Amino acid sequence: MTTTETALKETTTSIEGVIGVALVDYTSGMALGTLGGSKDLDLTVAAAGNTDVVRAKLRAMELLGLKDEIEDILITLGSQYHLIRPIKGRNNNGLFLYVALDKARSNLAMARHQLKRIESGLDV
């Protein structure tokens, strides 16, 4: 099993084009750990904002009666991809990994694949 710090480091080293990564508790909106970021990307602000995205999608699924779970959420900007991946597992309810990628330097399919692998080994 991987610790939070190790998972964040692995995300930045195994996924090309990472700008920043955070492990977020969407019940509180707090970042439990962050790595990277920039003057234009405050990961603690992004964590809180993306908490609202996750909550809104869960609420919409409930209203629609969808009995499924979110695999990941992709937000595509002009120059960036933002990936949100809820953590699955017995002790990880209410957490998600958030990754911001430079669109010009990343491969979205590989990033999703690597993030799924990292998420599956994370033990918080």
Side-chain angles (χ1 to χ4, degrees), residues 7-55:
L8 296 176
K9 285 180 183 176
E10 186 176 354
T11 300
T12 61
T13 58
S14 69
I15 299 175
E16 187 71 30
V18 171
I19 299 167
V21 59
L23 178 65
V24 184
D25 177 348
Y26 68 76
T27 59
S28 68
M30 298 294 294
L32 304 178
T34 64
L35 189 61
S38 68
K39 65 179 179 62
D40 298 322
L41 180 65
D42 182 330
L43 290 171
T44 56
V45 173
N50 285 304
T51 292
D52 292 336
V53 172
V54 173
R55 288 178 184 162

Side-chain angles (χ1 to χ4, degrees), residues 3 17 29 54 108:
T3 66
V54 173
L108 182 58

